[in-house]
């Protein structure tokens, strides 16, 4: 079960393609893009490729509690490589209720067998919140409460990853008044675990975390909430493609108005980008190009990665500006632009420029140039 993935030095192109369903060149691009996503220097690409070739496939036990399966669905939409390849060739997915062919006692037996065979070595991934009210009766699998199953599985895990906002901090199930006492993995286990929040989370952040574990035998550096710094250390507002409109005071006021159609900033529609830490604008979803994220599609960010913002603050309430102040006056969108002073514009341009230069856009590295027709720039959208 825990054989190596393959040896790139001896593997033929056909062999690599056969194992991962992608070409050798695409595999190396994946390693380069993952290194970039992790914020590692180019030299790390070789280490990642080496680890990916030769690492022992870690046994992964994936639990699902109070959730919508969006986390798994999101992962199924990852294309480089696809999750089915990842499941079969990079990790050994020994228990996943949705993807398992087995059911009932057979599935539970498989989980126990994997836990025994890989004691102290398996990675435990948890999707969904864990209800604690009424002794945890609101979520049971095979007659066992989610609380008990999580504690049992975590006891002998080498690493625990909470995927999605539900597992990370309670997410939607914990919305006030939280009738089931939905809790996070960290609350149940009483310790910080790696969290990949988002509803759903971005699959590349999970893939990059797993690759980091395979390459360096450790999980990536995290913030005080357990979020990997490579993905959650910057505000969405810092990298948003509509940021220039914010700085210039150009806002959509209503859905479908002229500003909205022109791709102006969604701050006045309640966008929580200014108080939400995540890499959504730079990484995108579903490999569909740079517009493939909430704001890119014309909807304000609801702060789904941020405890105390997503599912807590009303969607259209103005966001708290964590790192920048807005201009004092906003022009009406039907008027000419330019309500900001030259000095202010220079300062803000500097902030935006530094931010834009600080990130490598993974999706671009992952063959979007091959796909070519992914997204439109603001300018192109404005002109269409
Ligand atoms: Fe759903 Fe996951 Fe949201 Fe929660 O993602 S997409 S409700 S974070 O646990 O399945
Ligand atoms: Fe982008 Fe939202 Fe910030 Fe506007 S407020 S620049 S839409 S993140
Ligand atoms: Fe969520 Fe906002 Fe990103 S809603 S997916 S954190 S843009």
């Amino acid at each position: 079960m825990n054989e190596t993935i393959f040896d790139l030095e001896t593997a033929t192109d056909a062999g690599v393609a056969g194992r991962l369903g992608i070409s050798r060149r695409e595999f190396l691009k994946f390693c380069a893009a993952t290194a970039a996503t992790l914020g590692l220097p180019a030299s790390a690409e070789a280490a990642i490729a080496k680890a990916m070739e030769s690492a022992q496939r870690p046994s992964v036990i994936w639990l699902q509690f109070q959730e919508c399966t969006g986390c798994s669905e999101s992962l199924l939409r990852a294309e480089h490589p696809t999750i089915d390849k990842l499941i079969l060739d990079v990790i050994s997915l020994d228990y996943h209720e949705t993807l398992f062919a087995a059911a009932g006692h057979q599935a539970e037996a498989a989980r126990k067998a994997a836990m025994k065979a890989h004691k102290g070595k398996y990675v435990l991934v948890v999707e969904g919140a864990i209800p604690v009210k009424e002794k945890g009766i609101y979520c049971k699998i095979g007659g066992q409460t989610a609380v008990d199953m999580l504690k049992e599985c975590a006891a002998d895990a080498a690493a625990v990853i909470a995927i999605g906002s539900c597992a990370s901090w309670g997410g939607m199930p914990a919305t006030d008044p939280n009738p089931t006492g939905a809790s996070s993995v960290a609350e149940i286990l009483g310790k910080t675990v790696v969290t990949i929040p988002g509803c759903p989370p971005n699959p590349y952040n999970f893939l990059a975390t797993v690759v980091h574990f395979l390459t360096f035998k450790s999980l990536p550096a995290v913030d005080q909430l357990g979020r990997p710094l490579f993905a959650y250390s910057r505000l969405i507002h810092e990298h948003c493609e509509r940021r220039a409109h914010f700085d210039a005071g150009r806002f959509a006021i209503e859905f479908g108005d002229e500003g909205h159609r022109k791709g102006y900033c969604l701050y006045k529609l309640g966008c929580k980008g200014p108080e939400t830490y995540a890499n959504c604008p730079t990484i995108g979803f579903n490999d569909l190009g740079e517009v493939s994220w909430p704001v890119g599609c014309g909807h304000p960010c609801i702060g789904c990665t941020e405890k105390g913002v997503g599912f807590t603050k009303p969607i259209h309430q103005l966001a708290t500006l964590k790192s920048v102040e807005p201009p004092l006056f906003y022009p009406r969108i039907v008027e000419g632009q330019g309500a900001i002073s030259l000095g202010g514009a220079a300062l803000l341009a500097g902030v935006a420029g530094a931010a834009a230069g600080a990130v490598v856009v993974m999706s671009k590295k992952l063959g979007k140039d091959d796909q070519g027709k992914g997204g439109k720039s603001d300018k192109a959208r404005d002109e269409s």
Side-chain angles (χ1 to χ4, degrees), residues 8-349:
L8 201 62
E9 277 177 22
T10 53
T12 59
D13 281 3
V16 175
R19 270 321 281 273
L20 291 181
I22 55 177
S23 70
R24 189 189 187 97
R25 182 170 165 268
E26 281 178 311
F27 170 72
L28 292 171
K29 277 172 84 177
F30 169 74
C31 295
T34 306
T37 302
L38 288 166
L40 298 171
S43 53
E45 180 185 331
I48 288 176
K50 188 78 202 152
M52 294 281 288
E53 293 156 26
S54 57
Q56 298 291 309
R57 299 163 70 207
S59 171
V60 171
I61 293 177
W62 187 298
L63 303 178
Q64 292 170 280
F65 299 132
Q66 287 178 302
E67 44 83 44
C68 73
T69 310
C71 304
S72 294
E73 278 293 330
S74 167
L75 219 51
L76 289 166
R77 303 294 169 262
E79 290 295 329
H80 298 284
T82 56
I83 184 64
D84 50 323
K85 302 299 172 194
L86 197 79
I87 289 168
L88 295 174
D89 292 293
V90 179
I91 63 175
S92 174
L93 191 63
D94 292 330
Y95 182 83
H96 187 295
E97 285 154 21
T98 309
L99 302 178
F100 238 24
H105 295 300
Q106 227 184 2
E108 290 310 302
R111 176 174 65 80
K112 294 208 185 264
M115 286 169 58
K116 196 171 165 195
H118 307 292
K119 191 172 176 183
K121 293 184 187 150
Y122 60 85
V123 177
L124 179 66
V125 179
V126 186
E127 175 177 359
I130 304 98
V132 295
K133 278 195 187 161
E134 317 288 348
K135 298 187 180 157
I137 58 166
Y138 296 109
C139 184
K140 284 183 161 183
I141 296 110
Q144 189 178 20
T145 64
V147 180
D148 288 345
M149 186 180 277
L150 172 57
K151 285 181 178 167
E152 182 194 344
C153 293
D156 291 322
V160 180
I161 300 174
I163 189 163
S165 298
C166 304
S168 298
W169 45 264
M172 195 182 288
T175 303
D176 190 47
N178 193 356
T180 65
S183 307
S184 69
V185 173
E187 285 170 316
I188 300 297
L189 299 181
K191 62 175 186 183
T192 305
V193 300
V194 171
T195 62
I196 317 274
C199 188
N202 194 300
Y204 293 119
N205 293 337
F206 175 73
L207 295 191
T209 301
V210 171
V211 169
H212 189 287
F213 184 74
L214 283 175
T215 307
F216 304 108
K217 312 290 176 246
S218 66
L219 290 165
V222 298
D223 67 9
Q224 73 280 10
L225 298 174
R227 300 179 296 190
L229 291 173
F230 73 80
Y232 299 92
S233 59
R234 286 175 178 269
L235 291 166
I236 283 173
H237 192 57
E238 293 176 42
H239 300 296
C240 179
E241 66 225 33
R242 298 183 189 227
R243 175 58 186 271
H245 293 306
F246 176 91
D247 292 344
R250 292 191 287 259
F251 298 98
I253 306 298
E254 287 180 7
F255 285 101
D257 70 10
E258 188 186 355
H260 192 234
R261 290 200 304 277
K262 284 184 169 174
Y264 287 178
C265 171
L266 304 174
Y267 173 71
K268 291 202 165 190
L269 289 173
C271 180
K272 303 298 188 295
E275 57 180 327
T276 299
Y277 289 90
N279 56 357
C280 309
T282 56
I283 210 160
F285 286 81
N286 299 342
D287 299 325
L288 289 176
E290 59 205 17
V291 296
S292 185
W293 67 291
V295 169
C297 300
H299 195 282
C301 164
I302 65 164
C304 77
T305 61
E306 201 67 41
K307 185 178 184 182
V309 180
F311 315 116
T312 305
K313 280 195 169 181
I315 286 182
H316 299 297
Q317 182 179 314
L318 288 186
T320 304
L321 293 164
K322 284 207 165 169
S323 67
V324 289
E325 295 296 327
L328 287 178
F329 302 101
Y330 304 115
R332 290 215 305 264
I333 57 169
V334 290
E335 293 178 344
Q337 309 303 328
I340 192 166
S341 71
L342 271 181
L347 181 68
L348 288 167

